[in-house]
Amino acid sequence: MIKFLSFTAAMVTAFGLFSCKKGEDDPTLSLKSRKARISGVWKVSSILNSYSYTDGTSSSDSFDGTTWTFSDGTIKSASFTFSFEKDGSMSIDQTIDGDQYVSKGSWAFMGKNKNEDLKKKEAIIIGFEEFSGNGFNTSNSSFFPNNSEIWPLKRLAKDEIVVYMQYNYDGERSETTITLTK
Amino acid sequence: MFVLIGLAIFSCKKGENDPFLSLKSRKARFTGEWMVSSSELNVQIDGVLISSSIYNGTMETYTDYSAGSPFSYNSNYTLSYSIKKDGSYIELKEQPNSYTLQKEGNWAFIGKSSNADLKNKEAVVFSNTIQTLSIGGTTMVSSTQGWLTDEVWKIDQLKSKEIIIKIDQTESVDGEKTSYSGRIVLSKK
């Protein structure tokens, strides 16, 4: 009986130490909690925005870590750095064609939603509270609906995050994939 | 051992006016059929009141203070929510002999954020996916897919038969500050 209880306790402890898969491309097991994995400073290494329209046409914009290429042929140099802290604060430093923009705010994990097949802590909500740049300044409360975004995390590894968002609005569709690396 | 089991069975206080302990989980208390029994909302710009709204469960009195003399008008409607355990919800606004506006979508608790002074499951986000407006026999439907932050409720009190949402938000654009303050009270149907 004692051996069985010891074995059970050991198994429970082992599973408790490992963090399980939530996002589709998460590592199967991780020694680090999701909070520990997301915390830190990240560079955006790529962004892909794809759009499909009701008239059957489509377009896309892409960022490769240094350059934005837009569907109309415009090219801009850019860099994006995200910082997620354990206390739930976050900041984004952007430079686009030499112009600097700074956003600060809060982040939190989202709870589970069975209807949308969303697991607990599979997504984060980001609330933008301060924005400055190009002579423009705004601020608002935490998680103000108009200035918040939900990021489903397709992958959360210790050195890579992949965010995948998909929106349909009355037949028009957009998909965004953001890859961040440590 | 028994203390730990006891603490695990009881759900602890998150919102400022939550019951200290509850046998029901926050999810169990939040889900169900609700009517908005009252609400109030004041909007100020740079500290000056520009509008107020008071709702008693069947009638809203909206007062506009922005143009010199206050101007008020009333509208009669009922507002209800069906909040499901699977994370779906329906919001229904009905104005008799006028229109019905139904919003469907998804909800989820928001986790802890010390920076935002938010405890785990103290706030809820709603993402609208289908909006159906019926007026005089005509129905218009718009649909979206994907997680958007249509509403965020900060829960001041979560009981089995009553929810109180606290509204206390500001936004500032180039120095002009707009403040929203008030509350929404929902009662179990």
Side-chain angles (χ1 to χ4, degrees):
Chain A
M1 179 67 173
I2 292 173
K3 279 186 184 173
F4 172 75
L5 286 173
S6 300
F7 174 75
T8 307
M11 292 301 292
V12 168
T13 304
F15 277 114
L17 283 173
F18 289 104
S19 188
C20 297
K21 188 169 169 165
K22 306 278 184 181
E24 196 180 308
D25 294 338
D26 269 358
T28 305
L29 281 176
S30 173
L31 272 175
K32 282 188 158 188
S33 69
R34 288 181 80 71
K35 190 173 190 174
R37 275 181 267 161
I38 203 171
S39 302
V41 179
W42 300 86
K43 281 193 79 78
V44 175
S45 54
S46 69
I47 302 174
L48 177 61
N49 297 321
S50 307
Y51 309 97
S52 305
Y53 307 102
T54 52
D55 63 3
T57 60
S58 62
S59 66
S60 67
D61 310 318
S62 64
F63 173 72
D64 66 3
T66 59
T67 307
W68 262 116
T69 303
F70 295 95
S71 55
D72 63 0
T74 309
I75 293 175
K76 291 180 187 274
S77 66
S79 69
F80 303 90
T81 302
F82 282 74
S83 172
F84 295 106
E85 303 298 333
K86 283 184 179 175
D87 68 353
S89 61
M90 74 95 196
S91 65
I92 306 173
D93 291 307
Q94 305 178 56
T95 304
I96 302 176
D97 272 353
D99 293 327
Q100 289 191 308
Y101 305 88
V102 177
S103 303
K104 291 184 182 181
S106 301
W107 73 274
F109 281 113
M110 293 259 298
K112 172 181 167 176
N113 182 291
K114 232 183 202 179
N115 194 48
E116 284 294 299
D117 195 27
L118 190 74
K119 296 186 182 76
K120 181 181 171 183
K121 298 187 182 181
E122 187 180 344
I124 59 172
I125 179 169
I126 297 176
F128 298 96
E129 292 157 23
E130 293 173 32
F131 175 82
S132 62
N134 216 11
F136 194 60
N137 291 285
T138 66
S139 65
N140 49 254
S141 310
S142 311
F143 302 121
F144 198 78
N146 289 353
N147 284 335
S148 297
E149 288 184 10
I150 292 171
W151 281 15
L153 305 176
K154 190 176 179 186
R155 176 173 169 79
L156 176 55
K158 62 175 170 50
D159 52 9
E160 187 182 55
I161 297 173
V162 178
V163 180
Y164 176 70
M165 295 176 274
Q166 179 186 303
Y167 300 108
N168 288 348
Y169 180 68
D170 284 348
E172 304 212 321
R173 180 186 170 100
S174 71
E175 292 180 60
T176 296
T177 304
I178 305 172
T179 303
L180 301 97
T181 50
K182 269 267 171 74
Chain B
M1 168 86 135
F2 292 109
V3 170
L4 285 174
I5 293 171
L7 284 173
I9 291 171
F10 290 105
S11 187
C12 298
K13 184 171 169 160
K14 306 281 184 182
E16 199 175 306
N17 292 306
D18 268 356
F20 186 69
L21 282 176
S22 173
L23 273 175
K24 282 187 160 187
S25 69
R26 284 183 82 70
K27 189 173 189 174
R29 277 178 274 157
F30 190 64
T31 51
E33 306 297 312
W34 300 90
M35 294 292 301
V36 176
S37 52
S38 69
S39 72
E40 57 200 63
L41 177 66
N42 293 314
V43 182
Q44 296 185 343
I45 294 182
D46 290 335
V48 177
L49 182 66
I50 61 158
S51 74
S52 73
S53 159
I54 298 174
Y55 176 67
N56 65 6
T58 53
M59 187 173 79
E60 177 185 0
T61 300
Y62 179 84
T63 304
D64 185 334
Y65 297 94
S66 64
S69 305
F71 169 73
S72 295
Y73 63 84
N74 297 328
S75 56
N76 292 294
Y77 63 85
T78 57
L79 183 57
S80 64
Y81 289 86
S82 173
I83 299 175
K84 308 278 186 204
K85 276 188 182 171
D86 68 355
S88 63
Y89 80 94
I90 297 174
E91 175 193 306
L92 182 63
K93 184 175 182 181
E94 295 178 284
Q95 186 165 68
N97 305 314
S98 180
Y99 72 88
T100 299
L101 176 61
Q102 177 168 294
K103 296 181 185 177
E104 300 171 55
N106 297 288
W107 69 272
F109 282 118
I110 296 174
K112 176 181 172 177
S113 173
S114 299
N115 191 60
D117 193 25
L118 211 60
K119 296 187 182 77
N120 185 32
K121 299 186 185 179
E122 189 181 352
V124 175
V125 61
F126 290 89
S127 179
N128 180 217
T129 53
I130 301 174
Q131 190 161 290
T132 307
L133 177 62
S134 303
I135 302 179
T138 304
T139 299
M140 290 163 279
V141 181
S142 68
S143 65
T144 59
Q145 185 188 357
W147 281 97
L148 296 168
T149 53
D150 291 296
E151 284 189 58
V152 175
W153 286 3
K154 187 165 180 192
I155 302 173
D156 185 56
Q157 177 186 283
L158 179 54
K159 290 182 178 175
S160 297
K161 295 190 176 165
E162 185 176 77
I163 298 173
I164 298 177
I165 308 301
K166 185 176 177 180
I167 303 168
D168 183 13
Q169 296 191 311
T170 60
E171 57 177 342
S172 181
V173 180
D174 283 339
E176 183 181 270
K177 182 176 166 181
T178 305
S179 307
Y180 305 87
S181 62
R183 65 187 220 152
I184 304 170
V185 180
L186 297 95
S187 304
K188 261 290 168 59
K189 274 189 185 175

